[in-house]
């Protein structure tokens, strides 16, 4: 499949927002997409949670203390932020805005609260809801991940039914049952969105 062409000069880049319930496979999906399309910019999120095994500061997340994070909120450093399962998460504003202004595309993987905040500020983005194929599969994925205690796993599963109700507010829904199929669907969405008239003006 042909890669999308880079945005024309003076045209802002495409903001692709991917979100969905915890355990739906957003991270795995975005990593697979980036491995095939390395030209996609990727916004590293900030958080106050503790790093998981193998995670590095500035690579997987920017890790901050709660005091540091709240100060950054007050100074409007985040495009969006949310308090989820006892921790803060946010998207650094400067990185995203600079990339888009330069005509570069940006992939943003965030939770549902954050995605809806971004949509209010930047309605020209492309919002993709990633859903698991079933609750049973979601439970299996979260349990196998082995990074959350049982009470947090229970909270995440209980929240999924509520979170799925937000899917109609997105532009697209991708069911992440087969990783290869899901990646191809997102690639097709990006290609189609970059062909919209307001993103591809005709200059004769």
């Amino acid at each position: 499949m042909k890669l999308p062409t880079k945005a024309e000069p003076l045209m802002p880049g495409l903001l692709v927002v991917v979100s969905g319930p915890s355990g739906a496979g957003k991270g795995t999906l975005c990593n697979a997409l980036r491995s095939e399309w390395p030209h996609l910019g990727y916004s590293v999120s900030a958080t106050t949670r503790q790093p998981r095994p193998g995670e590095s500061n500035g690579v997987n997340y920017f890790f901050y203390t709660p005091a540091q994070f709240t100060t950054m909120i007050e100074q409007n450093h985040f495009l969006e932020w949310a308090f989820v399962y006892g921790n803060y998460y946010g998207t650094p504003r400067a990185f995203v805005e600079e990339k888009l202004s330069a005509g570069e595309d940006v992939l943003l993987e965030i939770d549902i609260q954050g995605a809806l905040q971004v949509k209010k500020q930047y309605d020209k983005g492309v919002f993709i809801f990633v859903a698991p194929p079933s609750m049973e599969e979601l439970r299996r994925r979260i349990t196998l991940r082995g990074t959350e205690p049982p009470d947090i796993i229970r909270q995440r599963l209980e929240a999924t039914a509520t979170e799925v109700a937000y899917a109609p507010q997105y532009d697209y829904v991708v069911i992440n049952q087969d990783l290869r199929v899901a990646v191809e669907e997102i690639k097709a969405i990006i290609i189609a969105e970059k062909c919209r008239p307001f993103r591809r003006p005709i200059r004769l």
Side-chain angles (χ1 to χ4, degrees):
M1 182 180 294
K2 184 180 178 181
L3 297 180
T5 57
K6 190 175 181 180
E8 292 187 347
L10 303 180
M11 291 296 293
L14 182 66
L15 178 62
V16 181
V17 179
V18 175
S19 72
S22 175
K26 302 181 295 297
T28 301
L29 192 51
C30 287
N31 287 338
L33 177 63
R34 291 168 60 207
S35 70
E36 296 185 30
W37 283 357
H39 68 285
L40 280 174
Y42 186 75
S43 178
V44 178
S45 296
T47 184
T48 58
R49 76 160 171 76
Q50 292 298 307
R52 293 170 181 163
E55 291 184 332
S56 301
N57 187 47
V59 177
N60 305 98
Y61 282 92
F62 291 111
F63 294 99
Y64 295 107
T65 66
Q68 290 173 323
F69 201 102
T70 53
T71 297
M72 294 174 71
I73 291 174
E74 293 169 358
Q75 296 175 350
N76 198 32
H77 285 310
F78 294 116
L79 184 63
E80 58 80 25
W81 65 272
F83 188 72
V84 183
Y85 303 118
N87 290 292
Y88 286 102
Y89 293 84
T91 300
R93 177 184 300 275
F95 175 89
V96 174
E97 293 183 345
E98 288 172 5
K99 291 289 186 181
L100 294 176
S101 296
E104 298 182 34
D105 301 328
V106 177
L107 179 64
L108 185 56
E109 176 206 334
I110 52 178
D111 62 38
I112 293 170
Q113 292 182 48
L116 297 180
Q117 285 185 49
V118 174
K119 190 173 184 181
K120 290 179 180 179
Q121 298 188 56
Y122 195 84
D123 60 0
K124 290 184 179 179
V126 179
F127 295 82
I128 303 172
F129 188 95
V130 177
S134 66
M135 285 296 293
E136 290 75 16
E137 176 61 16
L138 180 64
R139 181 187 300 275
R140 187 187 71 84
R141 291 177 183 178
I142 296 178
T143 302
L144 287 178
R145 194 161 62 187
T147 56
E148 288 91 7
D151 58 327
I152 296 298
I153 292 177
R154 185 175 61 256
Q155 289 179 37
R156 292 186 185 277
L157 292 172
E158 290 174 352
T160 296
T162 300
E163 293 172 330
V164 168
Y166 289 103
Q169 298 187 43
Y170 287 69
D171 301 309
Y172 301 93
V173 172
V174 170
I175 305 297
N176 189 18
Q177 180 166 12
D178 182 285
L179 179 63
R180 182 71 261 152
V181 172
V183 169
E184 290 301 318
E185 287 185 351
I186 292 182
K187 288 162 68 175
I189 290 168
I190 295 173
I191 291 172
E193 285 291 332
K194 291 180 74 67
C195 293
R196 286 184 177 272
F198 72 91
R199 293 195 178 102
R200 179 172 286 180
I202 299 173
R203 297 185 176 92
L204 301 179

